[in-house]
Amino acid sequence: MKFITNFLKGILIGAGCILPGISSGVLCVIFGIYDLLLDSVLNFFHDIKKNFNFLCPIAFGGVIGIIVFSKFLQYLLLKYPIQTKSIFIGLILGGIVLLFRQILKEKGWKKQNIIYFFMSFIIGVGMVYLEHKLSIKNLESVSFLYLIFSGFLMSIGIVVPGVSSTIILMLLGTYTYYLSAVSNLYFPVLIPMGIGIFLGSLLFMKIIKIFLENYYEKTMYSIIGFSIGAIFVLFPTILTIKDFAISVLCFVIGYILMKTF
């Protein structure tokens, strides 16, 4: 059962690499596996069997999520934007509520942490605004090393909760390369980007680990602020009462599904 649950989480985490404005790191935090994920990757050789059993279903689900959702999610967003976006909002907010309760239970309430929440929330909203205003530029040609560099910077959006990989790739001009390569399994692009993602992930995981060990509450409140701010990129366009009712229903479904995880 644990394998299946982690596999399903991995699929959604993989989808986070595709879903505009959403960070895979945020989904890891929301699902309550972020700390375990960091420890398992960074200390993999300390207990290979245990870490492999934990990481395998998540990694397998993540690959499936990226490959399958690259087309399926685009279809859902095109045909059923209100339902799809509302379910994801429900999942994310449901996870944030659980995360907030966990922090209060472990550390209690300290009013000074609200500063870190609001600062990161404002930055998160700003990133959403930037993504809406940002035009997708396409480079005519991309070198092997530039793809590695793109993957390296993209790993920030994968590892650091609240930072969107989409924005990073848009700024670098490799967003369409990435989507096309994933959809068509074009390895001349996927391999160098994969190398960059691997190297960057190890570096940024270590950095985040240091922050969590030394500034746990500040870091977690900042993550929550980023996460809530990033949700605005998912808000569906609602024109009628029927659209509103469908949105609320799908939000509730997503929220309830989050509880089951």
Side-chain angles (χ1 to χ4, degrees):
M1 185 63 185
K2 193 69 175 177
F3 182 94
I4 296 175
T5 301
N6 285 339
F7 174 72
L8 293 175
K9 290 178 181 178
I11 290 178
L12 291 175
I13 290 168
C17 294
I18 305 296
L19 196 65
I22 298 301
S23 161
S24 295
V26 163
L27 295 176
C28 290
V29 171
I30 287 168
F31 292 143
I33 61 173
Y34 191 70
D35 288 352
L36 290 174
L37 204 58
L38 290 179
D39 287 333
S40 296
V41 172
L42 297 177
N43 302 301
F44 182 78
F45 294 104
H46 290 181
D47 192 336
I48 296 177
K49 182 179 179 180
K50 177 183 176 182
N51 292 329
F52 178 81
N53 289 337
F54 173 69
L55 292 172
C56 181
I58 297 174
F60 183 51
V63 172
I64 297 298
I66 291 173
I67 295 174
V68 174
F69 269 75
S70 62
K71 290 185 177 180
F72 183 59
L73 191 58
Q74 288 177 11
Y75 171 80
L76 289 178
L77 287 170
L78 180 64
K79 295 293 184 178
Y80 309 102
I82 295 176
Q83 294 91 327
T84 305
K85 291 181 178 180
S86 298
I87 286 176
F88 265 96
I89 291 174
L91 284 169
I92 293 171
L93 284 181
I96 289 173
V97 170
L98 294 175
L99 179 62
F100 188 65
R101 287 177 180 173
Q102 176 187 331
I103 297 173
L104 289 178
K105 183 178 179 180
E106 293 177 356
K107 301 294 183 179
W109 168 254
K110 296 177 183 176
K111 59 182 180 181
Q112 61 266 31
N113 288 325
I114 202 70
I115 297 174
Y116 300 97
F117 167 81
F118 275 115
M119 287 178 62
S120 59
F121 172 77
I122 292 171
I123 295 173
V125 173
M127 291 178 67
V128 171
Y129 177 80
L130 175 64
E131 185 162 355
H132 281 158
K133 294 296 181 181
L134 196 62
S135 59
I136 302 176
K137 63 176 182 178
N138 299 311
L139 300 179
E140 293 182 3
S141 62
V142 180
S143 68
F144 188 87
L145 288 177
Y146 190 76
L147 288 172
I148 292 178
F149 176 70
S150 296
F152 182 84
L153 293 184
M154 179 187 175
S155 69
I156 298 175
I158 296 174
V159 173
V160 181
V163 179
S164 170
S165 300
T166 306
I167 293 178
I168 294 172
L169 293 182
M170 281 181 178
L171 289 171
L172 293 172
T174 52
Y175 181 63
T176 53
Y177 279 92
Y178 169 69
L179 283 184
S180 177
V182 170
S183 298
N184 300 293
L185 291 180
Y186 187 61
F187 291 104
V189 170
L190 293 178
I191 289 175
M193 290 194 72
I195 293 172
I197 289 171
F198 175 76
L199 296 175
S201 295
L202 290 179
L203 173 63
F204 295 114
M205 277 185 180
K206 290 181 179 179
I207 294 174
I208 288 293
K209 184 66 177 175
I210 292 172
F211 274 94
L212 286 172
E213 289 176 347
N214 295 281
Y215 311 101
Y216 178 79
E217 292 175 79
K218 297 180 179 67
T219 303
M220 294 307 294
Y221 274 95
S222 297
I223 288 172
I224 291 174
F226 272 128
S227 302
I228 295 178
I231 285 177
F232 285 96
V233 79
L234 290 173
F235 271 23
T237 301
I238 297 175
L239 301 176
T240 65
I241 296 178
K242 180 181 177 181
D243 289 344
F244 178 76
I246 292 173
S247 179
V248 171
L249 176 61
C250 291
F251 167 81
V252 172
I253 291 173
Y255 190 90
I256 293 173
L257 283 174
M258 186 66 242
K259 296 285 187 178
T260 65
F261 285 116

